[in-house]
């Protein structure tokens, strides 16, 4: 299973196309099930309604995952989901920020909210018991948290200032983060 943050779903389709080509060449046995992690869910909507092409979906408010917050999907993204037996997972801002915190806490990765969408989908699918624990799950992370630090300021602690003195920097790292650093 490959879970991809999806706006119009071109990236998801590209990953799917690559896997199907590897399969056609006999380099892999099968292509993975694709999952679109979407703030507004145009592909999830199309699958639920049995549509041949995605249609525009409503969005009550903007998403913290603004770079993938599209109310539109593409037919090729929908085709990749259909052909792979995949799904679209609608995300909430709260879920995205929780996934962002989990990636930072558990893996040491600071990703932007749009990138955390794939982890959000995993967390939601796990909560619904919709994942096979024996299955390999790949989540695509697309960009670092410094791309959009404003979205995460609500939960980030203040950044301590160290100035331009190396000894002061070491002291801040020791005091603020408990790191055992010596010059």
């Amino acid at each position: 299973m490959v879970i991809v943050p999806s706006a119009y779903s071109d990236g998801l389709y590209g990953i799917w196309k690559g896997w199907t080509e590897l399969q056609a060449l006999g380099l892999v046995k099968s292509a993975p099930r694709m999952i679109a992690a979407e703030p507004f869910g145009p592909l999830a909507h199309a699958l639920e309604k049995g549509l041949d092409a995605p249609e525009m979906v409503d969005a009550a408010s903007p998403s913290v995952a603004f770079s993938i917050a599209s109310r539109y999907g593409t037919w090729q993204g929908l085709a990749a989901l259909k052909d792979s037996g995949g799904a679209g997972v609608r995300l909430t801002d709260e879920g995205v920020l929780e996934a962002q915190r989990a990636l930072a806490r558990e893996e040491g990765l600071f990703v932007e909210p749009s990138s955390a969408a794939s982890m959000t989908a995993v967390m939601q699918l796990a909560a619904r018991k919709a994942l096979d624990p024996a299955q390999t799950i790949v989540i695509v992370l697309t960009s670092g948290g410094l791309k959009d630090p404003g979205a995460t300021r609500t939960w980030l602690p203040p950044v301590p200032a160290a100035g331009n003195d190396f000894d002061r920097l070491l002291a801040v790292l020791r005091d603020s983060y408990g790191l055992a650093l010596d010059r």
Side-chain angles (χ1 to χ4, degrees):
M1 175 183 301
V2 176
I3 304 176
V4 183
S6 296
Y8 300 105
S9 62
D10 294 329
L12 178 137
Y13 176 75
I15 294 168
W16 170 246
K17 185 175 185 307
W19 276 102
T20 60
E21 290 173 359
L22 290 170
Q23 184 180 9
L25 292 169
L27 298 173
V28 297
K29 285 192 244 183
S30 62
R33 181 173 181 230
M34 300 299 294
I35 306 293
E38 314 174 277
F40 301 135
L43 298 178
H45 172 78
L47 287 171
E48 290 164 3
K49 300 291 184 190
L51 302 175
D52 292 328
E55 59 187 17
M56 185 181 78
V57 295
D58 291 330
S61 61
S63 172
V64 69
F66 72 89
S67 68
I68 62 167
S70 176
R71 299 182 313 142
Y72 305 90
T74 60
W75 70 267
Q76 64 266 32
L78 182 59
L81 295 184
K82 286 181 176 181
D83 290 349
S84 71
V89 178
R90 289 180 185 90
L91 313 172
T92 64
D93 282 356
E94 296 78 18
V96 168
L97 293 174
E98 176 53 35
Q100 187 186 40
R101 286 189 294 272
L103 285 166
R105 181 179 58 249
E106 303 297 326
E107 302 298 332
L109 298 172
F110 179 43
V111 300
E112 72 153 324
S114 295
S115 184
S118 52
M119 183 64 178
T120 310
V122 168
M123 293 167 73
Q124 287 181 208
L125 291 169
R128 288 186 269 182
K129 307 234 184 290
L131 295 175
D132 177 357
Q135 183 178 32
T136 299
I137 299 168
V138 175
I139 63 170
V140 176
L141 302 174
T142 55
S143 58
L146 295 178
K147 180 179 178 186
D148 181 22
T152 54
R153 279 205 182 98
T154 58
W155 66 266
L156 285 174
V159 177
N164 60 359
D165 178 277
F166 188 68
D167 289 324
R168 176 72 184 123
L169 171 64
L170 291 176
V172 166
L173 292 173
R174 274 192 301 274
D175 298 344
S176 299
Y177 303 105
L179 300 177
L181 300 170
D182 292 318
R183 199 176 222 294

